[in-house]
Amino acid sequence: MLLTITTTARPATDLGFLLHKHPERVQEFGQSFGTATVFYPEAGDERCTAALMLEVDPIALVRSRGKNSPDFTLSQYVNDRPYAASSLLSVALADVFRTARAGRCKARPELPGRPLPLELRLPALPCRGGPDLARRLFEPLGWEVEARPVPLDEGFPEWGESRYVGLTLRGTALLSDALNHLYVLLPVLDDAKHYWIAQDEVDKLIRAGEGWLHGHPERGLISRRYLGRRWALARTALSRLAELGDETEEELEPAVEEDAPAGATASDEAAAAEAEAAADVDTAAARAGSGSAETAVPEAGATAGEEAGAAAGPEGETGARPKPLNLKRREAVLAKLEELGASRVIDLGCGQGELVGALLSRPRFTKVSGMDVSPMALTIAARKLRLERMPDAKRARLTLFQGALTYADKRMTGYDAAVLMEVIEHVDPPRLPALERVVFGRAKPLHVIVTTPNIEHNVRYEFLTGLRHPDHRFEWTRAEFAAWAARVADRYGYQVALEPVGDDDPEVGPPTQMGVFTRDQRS
């Protein structure tokens, strides 16, 4: 299978810098299912074309799928995968052009932000929905779409058309956007994936869809097909798009050096997905204290699964897109901690360490701790924080440890401030008093910052029905949160101030409500 990328922006050979692949070299990248080769059929100042050719080994593909394969029939060996663009090409594209997809270029940092005239060609692409579906998916993104149906047999036109199209896309776009469009939409058009689909695929979809998926008229269809029609995952993805405004985080997919052959395999990808999904389920269920871990999924805006990214404008727009809610929430918490003069901070229910990382990036916070009930979540946090490569001075400021919010723990004491960011709604109401005693009565930090969803604002989310996340045990109105905060403050000797986070809708209030508790020094 073949993908070609052509530009006519002078000097056209700048395409090599953007793709991190030299035009004068032929490079091969091993995949678990075959070999991806990058070469340049033409490379001049006026016109440059890069080609990604994927040679699929059907036997290796079956071996890499193993027990996660949906069946063990002859169709695993005799199929169209070696010839037609599919999720195999999508995975190879993500692997080989990882840095280009992220929009980074160390040698020429100004290049990734420059839109280019591009032409993308895919000679044979499975398209369950025909040329019309290809147009519905790509035209809203600004592409001129040429989708030519491939006949079953040109010698017998009466046999009709096959389910394949020859696809050509033309337009002016950032190369990173173009690659991410293909990465998401190739398996959507094929309506199939060659590897196990787990919770981690939601993160990939949100990350690759930055700046365009949230406003796409077919986002529902894209989410369902990309996630293998797993309705629970699709619902999670749509809820996250609705709440977060389509935010991404580069650190969810650590950068790799691309001049060396890629070593990641499809089975590795599945294993990582299963591990992170297990961590998410474990975290959400343990935070709740009861209920079924099988159906628990971490809220998109919670610290267990929160993502952060730059607020870049969508393709074709001149202004910056609205800042995502979870970024607003984290910025509000960080600003409040600085305003309070806190230097020793603990993130209770830190999940995979997004807030912890933000705290560590600011030297004013001299002691930063993250506590979570899930060992796997803490392992992932350590990986995402790059603990093994962290400078000694920075590492000395950090502590990560396992613990539960409903049990007293001496390691939670001695902090200027504690943060419970999108955590309390995961706790069963009968267990909230235990959390209150542990945090406010035993740990007794000088300040406690609590954020939680405002259920009144849920009517503003087009795709949301019920609570914002399946694992939420409750969501409070502004009056309910105010009553809880006042009762806790009065019982444990704190003063509390309530503040909105996000746009404060005059009718239904802000999407997030924040309580800032300050301990009475006389208590």
Side-chain angles (χ1 to χ4, degrees):
M1 63 186 74
L2 182 69
L3 162 68
T4 61
I5 305 170
T6 301
T7 185
T8 54
R10 298 187 61 183
T13 50
D14 279 352
L15 183 63
F17 286 101
L18 286 167
L19 293 174
H20 293 252
K21 304 293 179 286
H22 199 289
E24 296 182 2
R25 295 174 56 193
V26 175
Q27 300 182 58
E28 293 187 350
F29 300 85
Q31 306 291 311
S32 65
F33 43 78
T35 303
T37 304
V38 177
F39 61 96
Y40 288 75
E42 55 182 340
D45 285 345
E46 300 289 339
R47 181 181 174 91
C48 184
T49 298
L52 171 63
M53 182 175 68
L54 181 61
E55 296 180 272
V56 177
D57 180 346
I59 304 302
L61 175 60
V62 172
R63 288 172 177 167
S64 72
R65 293 170 74 171
K67 66 180 181 180
N68 289 329
S69 177
D71 59 68
F72 294 90
T73 65
L74 185 62
S75 64
Q76 291 188 100
Y77 297 88
V78 183
N79 54 54
D80 64 352
R81 301 297 90 173
Y83 313 104
S86 63
S87 65
L88 294 171
L89 184 61
S90 177
V91 168
L93 179 152
D95 204 13
V96 173
F97 297 143
R98 188 181 301 261
T99 304
R101 283 182 58 222
R104 298 194 306 271
C105 181
K106 291 182 180 179
R108 299 280 298 280
E110 77 282 0
L111 288 181
R114 189 177 75 189
L116 300 175
L118 295 172
E119 181 178 276
L120 313 177
R121 287 183 179 271
L122 293 152
L125 172 67
C127 189
R128 300 177 191 272
D132 179 62
L133 179 61
R135 287 188 284 268
R136 283 164 50 199
L137 294 184
F138 284 103
E139 285 182 348
L141 300 174
W143 294 103
E144 176 189 334
V145 181
E146 179 185 325
R148 179 183 57 83
V150 177
L152 283 172
D153 191 317
E154 293 182 353
F156 299 89
E158 66 274 14
W159 288 3
E161 298 170 351
S162 69
R163 66 183 183 93
Y164 302 94
V165 299
L167 182 66
T168 301
L169 305 175
R170 299 181 181 91
T172 300
L174 300 179
L175 180 63
S176 58
D177 287 344
L179 294 174
N180 281 314
H181 294 167
L182 291 176
Y183 172 73
V184 171
L185 296 179
L186 289 183
V188 170
L189 290 169
D190 188 17
D191 199 14
K193 282 194 173 183
H194 70 280
Y195 58 86
W196 182 258
I197 298 174
Q199 175 67 32
D200 187 54
E201 293 297 297
V202 176
D203 291 330
K204 294 179 185 178
L205 175 62
I206 299 298
R207 179 170 61 249
E210 177 186 9
W212 61 272
L213 182 54
H214 175 64
H216 199 293
E218 299 290 348
R219 57 186 172 271
L221 179 146
I222 293 170
S223 298
R224 289 192 298 273
R225 284 196 174 195
Y226 183 88
L227 296 167
R229 301 183 184 272
R230 299 195 176 195
W231 302 108
L233 295 182
R235 183 181 182 277
T236 299
L238 290 172
S239 296
R240 289 175 64 172
L241 289 172
E243 178 178 352
L244 300 183
D246 178 36
E247 189 182 8
T248 66
E249 178 184 306
E250 184 180 279
E251 289 187 0
L252 285 175
E253 189 172 328
V256 297
E257 294 297 328
E258 292 190 332
D259 289 333
T265 67
S267 55
D268 292 337
E269 184 174 16
E274 291 176 1
E276 293 205 20
D280 290 341
V281 170
D282 185 22
T283 300
R287 278 179 178 167
S290 64
S292 172
E294 293 179 359
T295 58
V297 183
E299 183 202 7
T303 49
E306 186 180 23
E307 299 179 348
E315 179 183 338
E317 294 185 5
T318 56
R321 66 186 176 91
K323 187 177 294 184
L325 174 60
N326 72 333
L327 183 56
K328 291 181 181 179
R329 183 164 50 234
R330 184 157 63 249
E331 288 181 348
V333 169
L334 290 168
K336 183 57 62 175
L337 289 169
E338 291 185 341
E339 178 186 325
L340 295 171
S343 60
R344 297 168 298 168
V345 180
I346 183 169
D347 182 11
L348 299 172
C350 68
Q352 297 176 14
E354 286 78 16
L355 178 61
V356 169
L359 291 166
L360 279 176
S361 69
R362 305 186 181 202
R364 66 158 295 119
F365 298 109
T366 58
K367 182 179 181 181
V368 178
S369 294
M371 187 199 83
D372 201 275
V373 72
S374 168
M376 182 63 74
L378 293 170
T379 298
I380 295 170
R383 173 178 62 81
K384 291 170 64 176
L385 292 168
R386 294 165 172 79
L387 209 59
E388 74 283 356
R389 290 179 284 170
M390 188 176 290
D392 291 343
K394 192 174 184 179
R395 180 67 181 86
R397 296 161 50 210
L398 173 64
T399 302
L400 296 175
F401 65 94
Q402 182 188 10
L405 288 170
T406 52
Y407 295 92
D409 191 327
K410 291 182 179 179
R411 295 173 296 177
M412 294 168 57
T413 61
Y415 293 90
D416 301 324
V419 178
L420 292 156
M421 191 164 71
E422 307 301 287
V423 170
I424 61 172
E425 62 273 12
H426 291 273
V427 179
D428 284 317
R431 304 201 70 183
L432 272 179
L435 179 149
E436 297 161 10
R437 286 193 300 272
V438 168
V439 176
F440 295 91
R442 299 294 294 273
K444 294 196 288 190
L446 181 59
H447 306 284
V448 180
I449 297 177
V450 179
T451 73
T452 193
N454 167 25
I455 194 172
E456 297 169 83
H457 196 90
N458 287 3
V459 296
R460 296 293 187 251
Y461 298 133
E462 179 182 356
F463 294 98
L464 185 62
T465 57
L467 302 183
R468 295 189 196 179
H469 190 270
D471 185 63
H472 283 187
R473 278 19 184 190
F474 61 87
E475 288 173 4
W476 279 331
T477 64
R478 287 167 288 173
E480 289 170 331
F481 181 58
W484 175 82
R487 177 181 59 79
V488 171
D490 181 66
R491 179 169 184 177
Y492 293 103
Y494 282 78
Q495 299 294 321
V496 64
L498 304 181
E499 301 183 14
V501 177
D503 297 334
D504 198 352
D505 190 295
E507 296 180 3
V508 297
T512 295
Q513 43 195 344
M514 180 168 70
V516 182
F517 297 79
T518 299
R519 180 159 48 86
D520 189 338
Q521 298 296 314
R522 297 169 297 178
S523 62

